[in-house]
Amino acid sequence: AKSQGGGKVVFYTEALSEAVTRKLEMEQALRRALEQDELRLHYQPQVNAQTQQIVGAEALIRWQPKSGAMISPAAFIPIAEETGLIVPIGEWVIRTACIQALQWFGEGLGAFQISVNVSSRQFQETDFAAGVLRIVEETGLPPDRLVLEITESIAIQDEGDAIVKLLAIKNAGIQIAMDDFGTGYSSLGVLKRIRVDKLKIDQTFVRDIGGNEEQATIVEAILAMASSLKLEVIAEGVETADQYQFLRSRGCGWIQGYYFSRPLPADQFGHAYVRKR
Ligand code: C2E
Ligand code: CA
Ligand code: CA
Ligand code: CA
């Protein structure tokens, strides 16, 4: 407010309040979405690279407003994180995915794990681990059927705290996957200290298989490391037969990507992979 030109002050104030207003509107809309059942989970199959049998699925959130087009997570997860709404949304995701997986088990789906994404903001909550354990207990899902996908960023703020929470989760039998592996900092160090069960090779590395020698070398190095650490590896973003063959021939265990299937609404997933049998 210490400007010589009054007009300038008004301009900045308006621009600022406009941004704040837009964020508030988005926050309210998102809160309403959660209350009025506008959030959905889509499920993308994960297949065994050797047998091509379905072994799991990743739950991916979608926002379908009562009117209008579907909104992708990239557009609203950051706002959910900023406002803290990711905490109730994240709980909804875990609960919904557990209930869905149980239903599919009841319909005859065999060995199968359901994966859910956990954002760092959500993980930072003091009672995060207790909350997950409570949901698993309440729904009755066998804990070893649930996989939490975390990213390296959970260990940035307070690694000791992260390890304590992960231990509580792992001791209950729930599995942990390191998502987007290779895109963060100090990947190896974090992997050694945080004992994850699975590692997901980020799609940026998968994308260039067949075209880019260097990227293929990175994928091979990740596979070799994972094998020595006895970690299950999932390659994500697999889109072509060449990428699939490359990964399979080099011992990648699980495959996820458009080459097999896009993420599907629950009913379509059921028709394609459960009731078909
Ligand atoms: P992510 O966890 O890395 O999920 C993989 C993304 O890649 C998904 O995008 C998926 O639809 C997309 N994908 C799968 N196969 C292919 C492929 O073959 N090619 C290409 N180009 N893309 C593929 P989506 O569903 O838009 O999700 C984007 C991100 O939003 C996710 O990235 C994740 O970070 C976040 N997200 C999604 N659902 C949730 C959630 O329930 N909670 C939280 N905290 N984050 C979520
Ligand atoms: Ca993920
Ligand atoms: Ca990922
Ligand atoms: Ca990602």
Side-chain angles (χ1 to χ4, degrees), residues 4 8 53 60 66 69 96-97 215 244 261:
Q4 305 120 310
K8 229 176 191 176
Q53 274 180 331
L60 294 155
K66 294 271 184 302
T96 305
Q215 297 291 67
Y244 165 60
S261 173

Side-chain angles (χ1 to χ4, degrees), residues 41-42 44 58-62 72-74 76-77 81 86 89-90 92-94 116-120 122 149 151 179-180 200 202-203 207 236-240 243 256-263:
L41 291 182
H42 283 191
Q44 185 173 36
E58 178 178 3
L60 294 155
I61 197 168
R62 304 287 181 261
S72 81
F76 68 88
I77 290 290
E81 286 173 340
I86 192 67
I89 290 175
W92 176 86
V93 167
I94 297 173
V116 296
N117 291 284
V118 173
S119 89
S120 325
Q122 184 185 355
E149 295 195 1
T151 57
D179 204 357
D180 302 341
K200 297 190 80 172
D202 192 70
Q203 52 192 47
R207 196 173 300 148
E236 58 181 4
V238 178
E239 295 183 350
T240 69
Q243 291 166 350
Q256 179 183 346
Y258 296 167
Y259 180 62
F260 282 97
S261 173
R262 291 185 173 259

Side-chain angles (χ1 to χ4, degrees), residues 10-268:
V10 171
F11 173 77
Y12 282 128
T13 308
E14 270 181 4
L16 186 67
S17 70
E18 218 173 273
V20 170
T21 305
R22 222 178 308 121
K23 210 180 109 184
L24 271 173
E25 278 171 3
M26 183 77 159
E27 180 185 350
Q28 278 162 9
L30 195 50
R31 202 179 290 280
R32 237 178 296 126
L34 183 61
E35 283 162 5
Q36 300 184 354
D37 204 26
E38 292 180 358
L39 300 179
R40 295 284 174 273
L41 291 182
H42 283 191
Y43 298 87
Q44 185 173 36
Q46 298 171 330
V47 303
N48 178 309
Q50 295 301 326
T51 64
Q52 298 199 15
Q53 274 180 331
I54 186 157
V55 281
E58 178 178 3
L60 294 155
I61 197 168
R62 304 287 181 261
W63 177 4
Q64 178 59 70
K66 294 271 184 302
S67 59
M70 193 162 71
I71 304 170
S72 81
F76 68 88
I77 290 290
I79 290 156
E81 286 173 340
E82 254 180 77
T83 57
L85 271 175
I86 192 67
V87 175
I89 290 175
E91 280 185 16
W92 176 86
V93 167
I94 297 173
R95 184 179 302 277
T96 305
C98 287
I99 292 170
Q100 184 60 74
L102 264 177
Q103 187 196 319
W104 285 333
F105 287 138
E107 291 167 358
L109 189 64
F112 176 85
Q113 286 184 310
I114 188 79
S115 295
V116 296
N117 291 284
V118 173
S119 89
S120 325
R121 172 67 181 74
Q122 184 185 355
F123 186 87
Q124 243 98 64
E125 287 290 294
T126 318
D127 55 357
F128 174 74
V132 174
L133 266 51
R134 194 181 59 240
I135 294 172
V136 167
E137 202 177 291
E138 282 172 6
T139 59
L141 184 78
D144 63 346
R145 305 289 89 195
L146 178 64
V147 181
L148 302 185
E149 295 195 1
I150 59 168
T151 57
E152 287 161 353
S153 62
I154 62 141
I156 285 176
Q157 280 212 342
D158 186 345
E159 191 176 301
D161 174 66
I163 290 173
V164 168
K165 284 171 176 161
L166 289 173
L167 270 180
I169 290 163
K170 280 171 60 85
N171 283 340
I174 297 163
Q175 295 207 332
I176 305 290
M178 184 65 81
D179 204 357
D180 302 341
F181 185 74
T183 60
Y185 293 102
S186 66
S187 303
L188 242 181
V190 173
L191 255 202
K192 272 193 188 155
R193 295 190 296 274
I194 295 181
R195 306 219 154 243
V196 300
D197 303 282
K198 298 170 196 277
L199 194 156
K200 297 190 80 172
I201 302 181
D202 192 70
Q203 52 192 47
T204 53
F205 300 115
V206 173
R207 196 173 300 148
D208 287 329
I209 288 176
N212 185 327
E213 287 280 324
E214 211 174 294
Q215 297 291 67
T217 310
I218 293 175
V219 170
E220 284 177 325
I222 294 175
L223 286 169
M225 186 194 66
S227 158
S228 72
L229 292 173
K230 300 197 167 54
L231 298 175
E232 185 76 69
V233 182
I234 305 163
E236 58 181 4
V238 178
E239 295 183 350
T240 69
D242 282 350
Q243 291 166 350
Y244 165 60
Q245 293 303 345
F246 177 95
L247 289 157
R248 190 184 68 148
S249 69
R250 282 158 181 83
C252 180
W254 289 23
I255 303 283
Q256 179 183 346
Y258 296 167
Y259 180 62
F260 282 97
S261 173
R262 291 185 173 259
L264 300 172
D267 57 336
Q268 283 181 36

